[in-house]
Amino acid sequence: YGFDLGIYDNVFNTTLHGQWLAAPTMAMPEVWGDLRRNHADFAVFYLMPIYALRPGATTLLILQSLFISGSAIPLYLFARNRLSPGAAFAVGIAWLLYPALQSSQMYDYHPQHIGAAWVVCAIAALEYRKYVLYWVFFALAILVREDVSIGLTALGLYSVLSGYRVKTGIATMISACLYFVVLRFGIMQNAQFSGMYKNLYVPGEAAGFGSILVTLVTNPTYAAKTLLTMEKARYLSQVFAPIAFLPMRRGLLWLLMIPGFFLTILTTEYQPTVQISFQYVANWAAYMFPAAVI
């Protein structure tokens, strides 16, 4: 069991040599082992030509850094259509200086950062009504990992309820939701990551995402109590204070915070999800900064 950087280097390398998404370092040496028992890391395939130029962990770190920093450009373009040039430029600089992205970049390689970059590109394309380009970025984003589809579903819901590009919003919401359900509950064969929500299991029932959903529906008061910890309060401050809590100023924008909420704050007794030094902050950043502009 290597650290995640070693694991992803292993997945890229086995795929490069014809063993698609095999992960021997995670005891998944079979073809598609990573998909069935870990994550749907389909971005490995379209990033492979770059990785193949110089296979190795260093290439993955450089690639991730370029995606994170390059996202400032579509973010600026999105902001430029709504704000003055100076304010839009300030938003791009704020992205580059955002402590959570910097610290998670220094930690390791994780595909969430790649997904966040494509999401920002998709939002910018939607702003300029470049619909073909939007769907290209949508596809590149959703293929990164299964949890990216949660954020895209929320983006579609926001578009519908806000009256902003409604038809595209409906298509986005349906496509992303179906993708997640089919992939997570149909193709993938593991429930190990449900352990991040272990305090939400129904007592006496089998562990898994189904048990978690039952608790959320039947005992929301208990679920709400699990949110009230000092660690989560600190984490939210670290995430939102650098952009002055701007996304919280309009209620409808809270919809864009759904992916961050479900993938970090809702977890229980799993410290990495509520620390800005880990990759999970990318689930906030891709939607927070456009929300701050709005």
Side-chain angles (χ1 to χ4, degrees):
Y1 275 54
F3 291 107
D4 289 356
L5 177 60
I7 292 169
Y8 275 106
D9 187 31
N10 185 220
V11 172
F12 269 86
N13 203 273
T14 55
T15 302
L16 177 63
H17 290 90
Q19 294 295 107
W20 291 0
L21 299 186
T25 54
M26 288 286 285
M28 302 177 232
E30 72 276 12
V31 174
W32 303 115
D34 182 44
L35 168 63
R36 294 193 182 99
R37 295 192 278 150
N38 193 40
H39 287 299
D41 294 308
F42 295 123
V44 168
F45 293 104
Y46 64 72
L47 295 175
M48 185 56 61
I50 301 174
Y51 178 83
L53 294 175
R54 186 175 181 179
T58 304
T59 299
L60 295 181
L61 291 174
I62 294 172
L63 189 65
Q64 176 174 262
S65 182
L66 290 172
F67 267 89
I68 293 175
S69 58
S71 300
I73 298 172
L75 180 61
Y76 165 79
L77 293 174
F78 173 80
R80 178 65 184 85
N81 203 45
R82 293 171 175 259
L83 307 173
S84 67
F89 184 77
V91 171
I93 294 298
W95 172 275
L96 294 174
L97 297 179
Y98 188 47
L101 282 177
Q102 291 185 357
S103 58
S104 60
Q105 156 67 14
M106 292 298 290
Y107 162 61
D108 222 328
Y109 168 85
H110 282 90
Q112 285 96 323
H113 296 100
I114 310 298
W118 292 130
V119 167
V120 173
C121 289
I123 291 173
L126 191 61
E127 176 73 5
Y128 287 92
R129 300 180 185 272
K130 304 293 184 180
Y131 295 114
V132 173
L133 201 55
Y134 168 77
W135 287 110
V136 169
F137 290 139
F138 173 92
L140 291 171
I142 206 169
L143 290 173
V144 166
R145 225 170 84 153
E146 70 280 359
D147 46 13
V148 174
S149 57
I150 299 174
L152 292 171
T153 302
L155 177 63
L157 180 61
Y158 170 81
S159 296
V160 172
L161 296 182
S162 65
Y164 175 80
R165 316 288 193 261
V166 175
K167 292 181 180 179
T168 304
I170 293 172
T172 296
M173 182 172 57
I174 294 174
S175 301
C177 187
L178 285 175
Y179 181 85
F180 179 80
V181 171
V182 171
L183 195 61
R184 178 78 261 183
F185 300 106
I187 297 175
M188 301 176 73
Q189 301 171 353
N190 76 84
Q192 60 177 317
F193 294 101
S194 67
M196 298 191 301
Y197 307 85
K198 61 183 179 181
N199 287 355
L200 296 176
Y201 290 157
V202 176
E205 290 192 7
F209 291 105
S211 182
I212 295 166
L213 289 173
V214 169
T215 299
L216 293 175
V217 172
T218 63
N219 199 351
T221 302
Y222 168 76
K225 288 181 180 178
T226 67
L227 306 178
L228 305 177
T229 69
M230 286 301 298
E231 290 81 5
K232 292 178 180 180
R234 181 211 67 234
Y235 176 72
L236 284 175
S237 296
Q238 291 175 322
V239 168
F240 283 97
I243 57 171
F245 296 89
L246 286 172
M248 293 184 172
R249 292 188 60 188
R250 184 173 296 175
L252 198 58
L253 290 173
W254 288 40
L255 291 173
L256 297 178
M257 304 303 108
I258 287 176
F261 172 79
F262 274 101
L263 296 168
T264 63
I265 299 301
L266 192 62
T267 61
T268 60
E269 295 186 22
Y270 187 70
Q271 291 303 308
T273 55
V274 288
Q275 295 178 357
I276 63 169
S277 54
F278 288 85
Q279 70 275 14
Y280 302 99
V281 73
N283 296 303
W284 294 100
Y287 303 96
M288 285 170 44
F289 276 82
V293 170
I294 294 171

